[in-house]
Amino acid sequence: MSLDSPKPSVVVLGGGMAGLSCAHELASMADVVVLERESWLGGRMHSERLAPDGPWGNFGAQMITADRVNVVRLARAVGCSLTTVKWAHVLDRARLTFQGMHVGTGDQEVLRQTIERLEDEQSRRRDPALSELDDRSFADWLGDLPATVRDFWEEWSQGLANARTEEISLYAAMCLWGDQRVSPWRDAKLARHDLGDCVVDGGTGELGRLLGESLRDRCVTTFEVLECRPGAAGYVINGTQGGVERDFEATNVVCALPAPEALEVLPWLPEWKRAALASVSYGRFLVTPIWVGPAGQCSEFVTAEAHRDGVTYALPAFPLRTSADPDEHGACYQSWVNDGDAQEIWEDSDESIRSGVRAAFLRRFPEYAERIVGIGVKRWRFGLPKFAPGRVKTAPLLVAPVDALHFCGDYLGIANLEQASLSGRDAARAVLGVSPVESIIGYAGASPL
């Protein structure tokens, strides 16, 4: 496509990281519109404050680690402020779990041997689509283990993959183990930005907001897409906004919706594409940020319902909080549970969940008993796509376009902001014919910027 050719018209379905990244890449070379169901932009990059000048709390994405190079590039492009933090050690779920298990020497040795096995797999670069890597579940590869070691890997898998060990492949475990997180291979040279582990000032939702602002009037929020179908000159997107039905037309469409929602709004897709999208399953997660006031402030926060005993409402460590001094300014502590625990409390009332979270939080921080000012509750039905056995072989079908309909999202790679942003960038390039469509899965690390 030459710069003096007519601009293509593009509608992006979904205003999460993948959709916004795609629109950002297209903005100067295409007439692009982003359609988003929620009232905010950013998808799981969602933040709120209880008071205008109070601490922010994240309801989804928390931290931008040192390997999120494309995310930082986007943040800098739209003037999003990032602050380096010193919390990297608490994010190492493996170490947290290992220290908290209090296992005997014998079980620790078994765990070390299992880790050595996994790192040996990472040291031998080979085709990711091999059945020994792609078709084999991590649970099967682990084999019979002592209960405490098995529990370690289940906790680790829930924490990083939002899935049980039987629900992810060995290849997925290789992608997530250690400090790689974007490549399965220990010999990969990983790009890293210069900020180290960092957070978005004002909450991760600020990145979504600023990406949306950079697109000016090209983002339409509170618009629920009902159907996208082929039309005379491309595609017709039908939906509702505030109870009013509205249509958009475009010569190109980029679908940045979760796979199950894509199937709902694109019922006419060929069977090979529908089967590929149907193979993607999601783990739920539930986020409950906890706001506390400064020292000396007495809160009357109470919960109207009791919680259930013996149920996990929050991870016990509460390792992340806003960076200002809690005694002087108050703080928001991040709290969440992954798929297994989230499903157990999914149907509980918000008040019952708040009660359970409050009890768990005060077991860790009893000094805050009279300083809790609020607890949020956000359920993410499509929390993170599970990197299931067979995903590598399915990846070419997942990323492949159908005529002028393209796809992006975190189900095309390791489920994180970086891979979502790269999938959006690659979808934009495919629309413009700049580079061939290429699966994020199947090569080491993030593709060059």
Side-chain angles (χ1 to χ4, degrees):
M1 170 183 169
S2 63
L3 293 178
D4 58 355
S5 65
K7 293 183 177 181
S9 59
V10 185
V11 167
V12 178
L13 309 181
M17 172 53 91
L20 291 174
S21 172
C22 178
H24 179 80
E25 299 293 335
L26 288 170
S28 64
M29 292 176 283
D31 294 322
V32 61
V33 173
V34 177
L35 303 179
E36 169 54 47
R37 177 176 57 192
E38 302 292 351
S39 59
W40 70 86
L41 292 166
R44 292 191 302 271
M45 296 187 295
H46 181 46
S47 308
E48 291 182 6
R49 298 178 190 265
L50 288 188
D53 59 347
W56 48 265
N58 287 325
F59 282 85
Q62 308 285 344
M63 180 175 285
I64 299 172
T65 52
D67 50 26
R68 308 302 194 241
V69 177
N70 198 53
V71 174
V72 169
R73 179 184 70 88
L74 288 171
R76 285 171 166 162
V78 298
C80 184
S81 178
L82 304 173
T83 296
T84 301
V85 294
K86 306 297 184 183
W87 299 331
H89 66 286
V90 301
L91 292 181
D92 188 341
R93 183 66 57 84
R95 187 160 71 177
L96 276 174
T97 307
F98 183 76
Q99 291 176 343
M101 281 172 46
H102 304 295
V103 297
T105 303
D107 285 354
Q108 289 185 14
E109 182 59 30
V110 173
L111 178 57
R112 290 190 185 93
Q113 291 172 1
T114 310
I115 291 172
E116 289 175 0
R117 285 178 57 208
L118 184 56
E119 292 180 347
D120 176 66
E121 296 280 7
Q122 291 179 307
S123 70
R124 293 182 286 115
R125 185 183 291 267
R126 54 213 188 274
D127 184 354
L130 289 173
S131 292
E132 65 191 65
L133 300 180
D134 185 36
D135 295 334
R136 193 175 189 184
S137 76
F138 188 43
D140 177 68
W141 179 87
L142 286 169
D144 293 331
L145 293 172
T148 53
V149 180
R150 183 181 65 247
D151 290 346
F152 164 83
W153 287 113
E154 287 297 337
E155 173 69 14
W156 174 83
S157 185
Q158 282 285 334
L160 288 181
N162 204 36
R164 300 190 304 273
T165 55
E166 65 190 46
E167 295 175 311
I168 66 172
S169 67
L170 170 58
Y171 183 73
M174 291 166 58
C175 289
L176 294 170
W177 176 255
D179 62 357
Q180 300 289 94
R181 306 287 171 83
V182 293
S183 167
W185 313 119
R186 293 176 63 81
D187 63 345
K189 294 181 179 179
L190 303 182
R192 298 185 184 276
H193 58 76
D194 58 0
L195 292 177
D197 294 324
C198 57
V199 295
V200 177
D201 294 337
T204 315
E206 280 293 287
L207 177 52
R209 183 183 69 81
L210 290 170
L211 280 167
E213 283 189 358
S214 75
L215 297 167
R216 297 182 176 85
D217 58 352
R218 301 181 186 192
C219 297
V220 181
T221 56
T222 67
F223 184 91
E224 182 173 5
V225 176
L226 300 177
E227 185 179 16
C228 172
R229 61 183 183 274
Y235 298 91
V236 177
I237 300 92
N238 172 256
T240 61
Q241 185 184 40
V244 178
E245 193 166 329
R246 184 179 179 186
D247 286 347
F248 286 85
E249 295 185 356
T251 54
N252 301 264
V253 168
V254 176
C255 182
L257 301 172
E261 293 185 348
L263 286 169
E264 290 181 8
V265 304
L266 300 165
W268 50 270
L269 287 174
E271 185 55 37
W272 64 266
K273 190 68 174 184
R274 292 188 63 81
L277 291 170
S279 72
V280 181
S281 61
Y282 285 75
R284 303 178 183 188
F285 62 82
L286 194 149
V287 187
T288 52
I290 304 152
W291 283 270
V292 299
Q297 176 177 318
C298 185
S299 169
E300 298 180 355
F301 176 84
V302 295
T303 53
E305 296 180 34
H307 60 277
R308 294 185 284 145
D309 292 333
V311 176
T312 299
Y313 290 91
L315 300 178
F318 298 98
L320 302 180
R321 64 167 172 80
T322 48
S323 55
D325 186 303
D327 288 340
E328 183 177 356
H329 301 285
C332 184
Y333 283 80
Q334 302 307 136
S335 172
W336 66 93
V337 287
N338 297 103
D339 187 47
D341 293 322
Q343 291 195 41
E344 189 167 2
I345 62 175
W346 196 259
E347 301 297 333
D348 291 10
S349 70
D350 286 3
E351 284 302 295
S352 177
I353 291 171
R354 289 188 178 98
S355 175
V357 171
R358 182 179 185 274
F361 184 65
L362 291 180
R363 284 194 291 271
R364 175 68 176 84
F365 297 107
E367 65 271 25
Y368 289 149
E370 296 183 351
R371 287 171 56 185
I372 298 175
V373 296
I375 298 175
V377 178
K378 176 64 179 176
R379 295 167 177 82
W380 295 99
R381 178 186 171 199
F382 301 122
L384 289 178
K386 299 180 180 180
F387 202 143
R391 174 70 64 81
V392 174
K393 283 187 280 293
T394 309
L397 300 178
L398 288 171
V399 76
V402 177
D403 299 323
L405 170 64
H406 300 268
F407 294 82
C408 61
D410 59 7
Y411 62 87
L412 295 177
I414 305 165
N416 56 43
L417 286 182
E418 182 74 1
Q419 297 297 286
S421 72
L422 290 170
S423 76
R425 181 206 62 184
D426 289 349
R429 291 179 175 180
V431 168
L432 299 171
V434 173
S435 63
V437 175
E438 182 176 26
S439 170
I440 291 174
I441 300 175
Y443 57 86
S447 52
L449 299 179

